Amino acid sequence: EKAEDEWAEEPAPAAPAPPSSPPKPKSPTPSAPSPPSALPPPLLPPQPSVPTPPTKKAEVAFQVAMRTVDDDVKFVELLTKAAEEGHHKAQLWVGEKYRYGHHGQVKDEGQAIRWLRMSANQDNDTAQEMLASLLKDRGEQNEAKEWRDRAAANGNLHA
């Protein structure tokens, strides 16, 4: 019987174990409390807006107008051309000319508001303040306050 047992098949070796999967992450264990989150940055006053830079054509027209300030007709003509090209300073000046009747310009509040509003919408704080003043004089208190607030936010000390 022993001989039979010697020739008996040996049990096949056990199949290798499948590769073990990585260990499961342990659930977080309570640890020391985390440090308090960073404090929010301090509130800063609103930063002034910067007026829209004029186009080269508008800037050239404005500079030429500034050199003709002694000739009222030519000055207003060139200044208006620069304003029409979108130059915010020229728009302010044209609005001022219409408001006060400077340089031979006839006073016209409607035109003054038109030109000052164009400049003010380009964040010219002086135009915003001047427009606020003109609107206040006309009894348009709500819009005047809005423009004065914008002028102040943009750094106008007179607003």
Side-chain angles (χ1 to χ4, degrees), residues 5-13:
D5 287 338
E6 287 178 7
W7 294 99
E9 286 186 36
E10 292 185 19

Side-chain angles (χ1 to χ4, degrees), residues 78-101:
L78 292 170
L79 198 59
T80 302
K81 182 177 180 180
E84 288 169 347
E85 290 291 330
H87 196 288
H88 70 92
K89 288 180 187 174
Q91 292 166 339
L92 167 66
W93 280 57
V94 170
E96 182 183 33
K97 304 302 164 239
Y98 276 113
R99 180 168 189 200
Y100 298 110

Side-chain angles (χ1 to χ4, degrees), residues 43-103:
L43 294 177
L44 299 174
Q47 298 301 309
S49 298
V50 177
T52 307
T55 63
K56 184 172 179 129
K57 186 175 180 181
E59 183 62 29
V60 168
F62 182 72
Q63 293 303 323
V64 170
M66 292 289 102
R67 283 183 254 145
T68 63
V69 73
D70 293 332
D71 180 347
D72 287 347
V73 173
K74 190 75 167 167
F75 176 64
V76 171
E77 177 187 317
L78 292 170
L79 198 59
T80 302
K81 182 177 180 180
E84 288 169 347
E85 290 291 330
H87 196 288
H88 70 92
K89 288 180 187 174
Q91 292 166 339
L92 167 66
W93 280 57
V94 170
E96 182 183 33
K97 304 302 164 239
Y98 276 113
R99 180 168 189 200
Y100 298 110
H102 293 171
H103 293 276

Side-chain angles (χ1 to χ4, degrees), residues 3-159:
E4 276 184 64
D5 287 338
E6 287 178 7
W7 294 99
E9 286 186 36
E10 292 185 19
S20 64
S21 55
K24 292 182 182 177
K26 294 181 179 179
S27 61
T29 57
S31 59
S34 60
S37 61
L39 296 174
L43 294 177
L44 299 174
Q47 298 301 309
S49 298
V50 177
T52 307
T55 63
K56 184 172 179 129
K57 186 175 180 181
E59 183 62 29
V60 168
F62 182 72
Q63 293 303 323
V64 170
M66 292 289 102
R67 283 183 254 145
T68 63
V69 73
D70 293 332
D71 180 347
D72 287 347
V73 173
K74 190 75 167 167
F75 176 64
V76 171
E77 177 187 317
L78 292 170
L79 198 59
T80 302
K81 182 177 180 180
E84 288 169 347
E85 290 291 330
H87 196 288
H88 70 92
K89 288 180 187 174
Q91 292 166 339
L92 167 66
W93 280 57
V94 170
E96 182 183 33
K97 304 302 164 239
Y98 276 113
R99 180 168 189 200
Y100 298 110
H102 293 171
H103 293 276
Q105 193 69 43
V106 175
K107 282 186 178 184
D108 183 333
E109 281 188 354
Q111 285 296 317
I113 290 171
R114 173 180 175 241
W115 289 106
L116 290 171
R117 186 172 276 133
M118 282 186 212
S119 183
N121 280 325
Q122 292 187 62
D123 289 323
N124 184 314
D125 66 289
T126 304
Q128 291 168 338
E129 192 279 327
M130 191 178 289
L131 179 59
S133 176
L134 177 56
L135 292 170
K136 182 180 176 192
D137 291 349
R138 291 172 50 115
E140 299 175 36
Q141 303 301 323
N142 292 338
E143 188 178 359
K145 182 182 179 331
E146 290 174 24
W147 283 113
R148 192 167 309 282
D149 290 348
R150 281 181 66 179
N154 284 330
N156 189 292
L157 301 177
H158 301 288

